[in-house]
Every structure is written in C-alpha cells, then in structure tokens.
Amino acid sequence: MKMRKELWFGFAIMALVVAGAVGMLLGVETITRGHLGLLMLSLVVVAIMLGFPTAFTLMGMGMIFTWLAYDRDITRTLDLMVQAAYKSMANDVLIAIPLFVFMGYLVERANLIEKLFKSLHLAMARVPGSLAVATLITCAIFATATGIVGAVVTLMGLLALPAMLRAGYSTPMSAGAITAGGCLGILIPPSVLLILYGATAGVSVVQLYAGAFFPGIMLAGLYVMYVILMAKLKPAWAPPLSAEERQVVLPAMTAALPAETQQYAPVRLLDALKGKRNAQVPTAYVLRQLALVVMPGLLFVLLATSSWRAVTAVSVEEAYGIQPIGFNDNSPRVASEFGLQEPPVEGGLQEPPQESTGLQEPPGADSGALAEPPGAEPAQSAPSAVGEPPGSTAGATPQAATQPAPTWWWVMFGVLGAATALFYLFLSFARLEIFKMLLGSFFPLLTLIMAVLGSIVFGLATPTEAAAMGAFGGFVLAAAYKRLSMDVVRESVYLTAKTSAMVCWLFVGSAIFSAAFALLGGQELIEQWVLSMNLSKIEFMVLSQVVIFLLGWPLEWTEIIVIFMPIFIPLLSHFGVDPLFFGLLVALNLQTAFLSPPVAMSAFYLKGVAPPHVTLNQIFLGMLPFMGIQVLAIVLLYVWPQIGLWLPQLLYK
C-alpha cells in the first residue's frame, strides 16, 4: 500500500530525533542521569508521533525513567506519581476548563453561527473579499465564544466554504481563511491554552487574558487586511458579489410604506408618523423601527458619559494620622510612613520642655518644628483636627478632583463616534434590516463574551467563577433560540467530559513527566547547555520561538505546552524575560500547530466536511500565507511589547 507523503515526513522527523539522541549519547564519554532525561524526552516525542496517546505516553515514560532513577525502587516511584498527580489536580484554575468547554458546546448548538455569517456577509457586501472577511470575523467571534477550534472550523467549513466556492473564490483562499480564522480561539480569551500555560508557568490567568486581548485583535486584523489586499490585487481569487447576492429583502410592513419613504430611514420613519399616508402600516411598528434607529446613538452617549466620569474623577482620600507611642514628632519614619501632623497648640498635647528631654535645638533650625512660633495664627498654621492638613477647616469634607482624560479614551471613543456617525449617515432601510439581523446574532454573543471576559479582566470574578457564569449564559442563549433540549444538554455534557478528561490527563501526565525529567537532571543539563552558548536576551527569544515554531509541525499545542514549557520556563529568569510576555509570544506562535503540516488538525477538520474536489494540498497551500502573517504578528509583538502588556499594566499596576 502506498504511503501518504505526510507519513513519510513524520517517519523522517522521527528518524532524525532518534538518530540525534543516540548520537548525543554515543558522543559523550560518561552517560549521566541528565542524558537519560534527554533520551526520555526523545522517546516521548517519537512515541507521540507514532500515534500513542500523549497523556499515557508521558505517564508511562515518566514512571519507567523514575524507576530507573530511584534504582528500581517501585515504592518511591509510585509515591512520586501520586504526589505529582495530586499537585496537578489540586490546582483550582483547572476547574475553569470544563466550564468554558461546556459554554462553547452550548453556544455552538444555539445555531447562531449561520445567522452571524449571513448578517456579516450582507453588512460587508461592498468590501473587497467580503465573504472571506465575513468568514474571518465570524470565526473570531465564534472562536471567542467557544474556544473550540475543531467546532469552529467544521461549522464554517459546512457554511462558508460552499458559499465562497459558489461565488468564484479560489479554493486555497477560502480554505486558508476558514482554517486561520478557526485557530484564533487558541489565542483570544477565554483560551484553554492560556489556562494551561498559566497553570504550568505560575502566571496569573487573569493577566494572560488581559494581555492576549489586543494581540488577538491584531492578528485577526492582519488576516482581514491580507484578504482585502489580495482581493484588490487578484480579483479572480475573490470576485465581488453580484447585486442579487447583496440584495436585502425588506419586511412586508416596511415595503408597504410609500415609495418616497424607503430611502433614508431616520427621516422617513419620522415622516411616516405624520398624516394618514401610511394607514396600512401600524404606528406601533414605525415606533419600534425608530427605537432601533435611536439605540446605537443612545448607547454611545451612555458609554461616553459613564466612562468619562470614571476616567476623569479623582477622589481625594482623607488621611488620618495617629501617632504611635514611642516615636518623636520629628522622626523621619513618622513623617514619611504615618503621615502625622503637628497637633494644635491650644487644647492639644504640648511638646515637653527641652530640659526634661535633654534635646537641644540645632543652631539655625526652625523653632516652629517643636512649638508654635510667636505671633502665628493657630487656625492657619495648624490643623483643627487630627490628620487634617494645615490650612483646612475643621469638619470640611474632601472635594472630588478631576484629571484630563487619558489618550486611549479619546482614541477609543473617537473611533466609536466615527462609526456611529457613519451608521447614521448611510442608514437606509436595507442597512436597518442588516442591523436587526446583527442584533439577533452578533450582539447576544458579544454580550456573553463581554460579560465573561469583562468580569475576569476587571477583577469582578475569578476565571472559574466567570466560566460558571459563561456556562449559564450558554444555557440562556440556547433556550432563547429554542435549541435547548435534553439531547443537546446530554451531548454537550458528554463532549465536555471527553475534552476535559483529555486535558486533565495531559496535565497529570505532564506533571509526572516533568518530575521525572527534573529528577534525572535533564532540566539542569539543558540549562547548562543554553547558558554555555552565552546568548543575549534577543538571541534566546529568537531561538526559543524558532524551536516552538518547529515543534508545532509534528506536535499539537497541548503537547508543546505540557512537555516543553516546563523546560523553557526556568530559563526565563536567567535572561530577564517576563513569563507573561513570553506566554503571549508562545500563544501567538502555537497557532502554527494547527496550521502547519503534517499534523495541521484544522486542515483535516476542514477536509472532513469539504467537497470531494477540495484536496489536502490546496488546503495546505491556503494556510501558508496565514502562517507568514503569524510570524509577522510575533515580530510586531516583540518589537512593541506594549501591544500585549499595556492592558495588564493598566489594570493591575
């Protein structure tokens, strides 16, 4: 039987790994425990590429080599396995994984993706490559709501791929947009990858979510810009939609309005309320349409005013200075740490005479430091209450101060204001219908996403609590769209249990493997080797990202996180690399695990639902430009790290 090219490629990689491991062992004079650890690492990679289950391969190799390290003491080996497994499963952060996965499966079954894709497709009908752009945006939104790459790629393969092929789009362009857009759920929160990385590296998942928000938007924006650019340069790859495909069917009530009222919606709806020209259209219907027209502007005004007060108001905290016993008024510690003020002369405690304390006033010192200078006004030079600053009035309440609004506020609301103005400037009845379609598909998902991520990022809830709220929101969405049934719940629970078991067994296997690897001294050997190269910080970052990029070819992101991140993390402190920033780079980089052959799982997901004439080579060809965009995004994030670090520093400084 003729082997596929992918299998030959996999066997070639395995042969290189085994040959490298054997050559390394033969090339050293004395084989130490550290070399056994490297041999274990090589054998794990080979076994995974041969198709053995990752979690049980990690556990099995870890136990075998731990048994060898403990001189064949089975009791100590089992003790280490139990302790490593218990330490992993006692991590509270992992509880969020099944809840987020359950939310994703419920949202998937709410059947929102079809409505979302259709409404975005119509809203962007005049944009070059509109179908591919709508596909990428739909994938980004749906991946954010679900975080399940396979589900997003499969559903968009069933929905968007036939539509793009019918419109004359090239097969590689269509396949690349679907596979790249579906993988955005790896990076954009709520991401299971970020939870695993945070648990592995000891980094706050909340800060990882805040940091990954803008890099995710940047990557999606680069994808969209590439599609628009190629649609301009190569119109045959993404031809514009015909007038029939851009047509929006108006409801019967709207079509019943007089002909002259079917143009500019806001003014014509107001005109429709006058006289009896539209007697066949109920006034209540016209008022409902006007309410929808007013909604975006009203929402913009509410957001602007409420956020303006939040970013400009500065509350002056009242200071209460209570002098501790045993400290002198003039003590620098008292002045700097406790914020004490000199008590009033009249009715307060007096400084004891200098004769009794033995203190002498230094020459030229201000005598007012110990006693009120003669002729001074007590009400102006001393506070009238304990802790009240000089010159203030007793009983006065602190006044709220203001500060200028930050630059990011002006930029954000400038963009929102421009979008709102454009909405009203070109609001026809056709666009009003598209807006209503978005209200029924896009905004429910946006509300769920903002409720979950907002509660995490702004510290209102832990990731686990927010995941529970998201699971409940998935129930509500499924019920609101009449898709909630016992079969849907049963299937969602089964798939959640299956996915969660896989992730949790991986984490347990990773803990056992890492414990064995550290016990054998493999980590120490790798650290010595890396440090002996005298790399600079930039060289180390480039080397680590290249290694992760290459590992993404034969391995999945879960395997890279649980096997290789424990090797990289201890090296970060030697080079002064922030683990949060490193995690964002890794999250961007690890999307290559789903976009690079031969183990590009998103390609196989798409191939499973694609028409027969769509070949795997065409899908791989469409992935390559998006892999190049990922590399560009990594470079941009490294050159301007504030893309990922600005929001965590703003919220958690």
Side-chain angles (χ1 to χ4, degrees):
M1 185 175 65
K2 187 177 180 180
M3 282 191 173
R4 294 164 57 184
K5 294 180 181 179
E6 293 81 6
L7 290 179
W8 283 114
F9 185 80
F11 280 120
I13 293 292
M14 285 185 279
L16 288 175
V17 172
V18 175
V22 173
M24 180 193 65
L25 293 178
L26 294 177
V28 296
E29 297 180 358
T30 303
I31 298 178
T32 63
R33 281 187 168 188
H35 297 98
L36 289 177
L38 295 181
L39 177 61
M40 178 183 67
L41 178 63
S42 303
L43 291 176
V44 164
V45 174
V46 170
I48 291 172
M49 295 179 65
L50 285 173
F52 288 93
T54 304
F56 298 105
T57 300
L58 291 171
M59 285 187 283
M61 289 292 181
M63 290 186 63
I64 291 173
F65 280 86
T66 301
W67 179 67
L68 293 176
Y70 279 141
D71 296 328
R72 299 170 179 80
D73 189 341
I74 190 63
T75 302
R76 297 174 67 187
T77 301
L78 293 176
D79 287 343
L80 178 66
M81 184 192 73
V82 172
Q83 292 171 6
Y86 179 78
K87 180 181 178 181
S88 300
M89 301 315 297
N91 194 334
D92 295 339
V93 177
L94 296 179
I95 302 175
I97 294 177
L99 292 171
F100 275 132
V101 173
F102 185 59
M103 177 191 76
Y105 282 119
L106 284 175
V107 170
E108 175 195 344
R109 279 150 181 76
N111 200 27
L112 286 175
I113 192 167
E114 183 176 356
K115 298 178 181 178
L116 179 62
F117 174 70
K118 184 177 180 181
S119 57
L120 288 174
H121 150 227
L122 292 174
M124 300 178 180
R126 298 184 182 276
V127 176
S130 58
L131 280 176
V133 172
T135 298
L136 287 169
I137 297 177
T138 304
C139 287
I141 296 170
F142 207 64
T144 306
T146 62
I148 305 168
V149 174
V152 177
V153 173
T154 301
L155 287 175
M156 292 306 296
L158 291 170
L159 181 65
L161 184 59
M164 285 191 282
L165 294 179
R166 284 196 304 268
Y169 279 56
S170 69
T171 302
M173 168 75 80
S174 305
I178 293 174
T179 52
C183 292
L184 288 171
I186 299 175
L187 174 64
I188 301 179
S191 168
V192 176
L193 181 149
L194 296 177
I195 297 177
L196 283 180
Y197 177 83
T200 302
V203 180
S204 169
V205 177
V206 177
Q207 295 190 27
L208 282 171
Y209 276 6
F213 184 72
F214 285 114
I217 294 178
M218 176 187 69
L219 185 60
L222 289 175
Y223 287 165
V224 171
M225 289 172 59
Y226 165 75
V227 168
I228 294 176
L229 179 63
M230 295 310 297
K232 280 286 189 181
L233 297 178
K234 301 284 187 179
W237 289 10
L241 298 177
S242 62
E244 293 78 11
E245 292 172 318
R246 297 199 305 263
Q247 186 177 5
V248 179
V249 180
L250 298 180
M253 290 291 186
T254 303
L257 291 172
E260 66 272 11
T261 66
Q262 298 183 22
Q263 299 173 8
Y264 187 60
V267 174
R268 301 309 181 187
L269 283 173
L270 291 174
D271 290 341
L273 293 175
K274 302 176 183 178
K276 298 182 179 180
R277 294 180 299 164
N278 58 327
Q280 67 275 24
V281 181
T283 304
Y285 176 81
V286 178
L287 292 176
R288 286 197 301 269
Q289 305 306 304
L290 280 173
L292 292 174
V293 169
V294 173
M295 184 187 301
L298 182 61
L299 182 61
F300 172 78
V301 172
L302 290 176
L303 285 175
T305 53
S306 60
S307 61
W308 173 267
R309 294 176 182 175
V311 300
T312 58
V314 179
S315 60
V316 180
E317 297 182 357
E318 189 174 3
Y320 294 92
I322 302 176
Q323 180 172 343
I325 298 176
F327 290 97
N328 186 280
D329 287 353
N330 298 326
S331 171
R333 179 182 177 187
V334 172
S336 61
E337 297 183 13
F338 297 97
L340 297 177
Q341 301 291 339
E342 185 181 356
V345 174
E346 297 181 4
L349 296 177
Q350 302 295 325
E351 185 73 22
Q354 293 186 8
E355 290 79 3
S356 62
T357 59
L359 296 176
Q360 300 295 329
E361 184 177 12
D366 187 3
S367 61
L370 295 176
E372 191 72 29
E377 293 293 336
Q380 297 178 1
S381 62
S384 57
V386 177
E388 191 168 340
S392 62
T393 305
T397 59
Q399 300 295 323
T402 59
Q403 64 179 358
T407 304
W408 63 265
W409 187 92
W410 289 107
V411 172
M412 182 177 68
F413 278 92
V415 173
L416 289 178
T420 306
L422 289 175
F423 173 80
Y424 284 110
L425 187 62
F426 300 103
L427 184 58
S428 62
F429 279 98
R431 293 189 175 92
L432 181 59
E433 291 303 315
I434 296 174
F435 177 67
K436 289 161 64 177
M437 294 172 64
L438 289 172
L439 279 179
S441 58
F442 173 72
F443 289 101
L445 282 177
L446 182 64
T447 303
L448 177 63
I449 293 168
M450 296 305 295
V452 173
L453 297 185
S455 61
I456 295 175
V457 171
F458 292 104
L460 302 177
T462 64
T464 302
E465 294 167 345
M469 183 173 62
F472 176 73
F475 262 109
V476 173
L477 277 181
Y481 288 89
K482 300 179 181 179
R483 302 283 295 180
L484 187 63
S485 64
M486 188 56 65
D487 291 337
V488 168
V489 174
R490 186 186 300 112
E491 186 178 0
S492 299
V493 169
Y494 170 74
L495 293 174
T496 300
K498 183 179 178 181
T499 305
S500 302
M502 181 270 293
V503 172
C504 292
W505 275 117
L506 269 175
F507 209 73
V508 171
S510 167
I512 297 173
F513 173 83
S514 300
F517 192 68
L519 180 65
L520 290 169
Q523 177 66 46
E524 182 180 356
L525 191 64
I526 291 179
E527 288 184 12
Q528 292 175 356
W529 175 67
V530 173
L531 294 178
S532 67
M533 299 171 66
N534 294 323
L535 299 174
S536 65
K537 178 180 177 181
I538 297 177
E539 292 170 342
F540 168 74
M541 294 293 288
V542 172
L543 176 64
S544 62
Q545 296 305 315
V546 169
V547 170
I548 292 172
F549 181 84
L550 295 177
L551 288 173
W553 288 21
L555 302 177
E556 295 188 22
W557 67 264
T558 50
E559 298 158 352
I560 297 173
I561 286 289
V562 300
I563 298 175
F564 292 96
M565 283 305 105
I567 298 175
F568 283 109
I569 298 302
L571 292 169
L572 299 182
S573 59
H574 293 288
F575 295 95
V577 179
D578 185 2
L580 172 62
F581 179 63
F582 187 78
L584 299 180
L585 288 173
V586 169
L588 265 176
N589 200 345
L590 278 181
Q591 293 192 82
T592 58
F594 272 84
L595 287 180
S596 54
V599 192
M601 292 305 299
S602 58
F604 294 102
Y605 291 143
L606 182 60
K607 176 58 180 173
V609 297
H613 66 273
V614 177
T615 65
L616 209 56
N617 288 335
Q618 289 177 317
I619 298 176
F620 286 154
L621 183 63
M623 288 177 169
L624 293 179
F626 293 95
M627 288 180 60
I629 294 173
Q630 287 182 359
V631 175
L632 174 62
I634 294 173
V635 173
L636 291 176
L637 180 60
Y638 184 79
V639 174
W640 292 287
Q642 288 303 309
I643 297 174
L645 298 180
W646 174 76
L647 189 58
Q649 291 173 353
L650 176 68
L651 297 175
Y652 312 113
K653 59 184 176 181

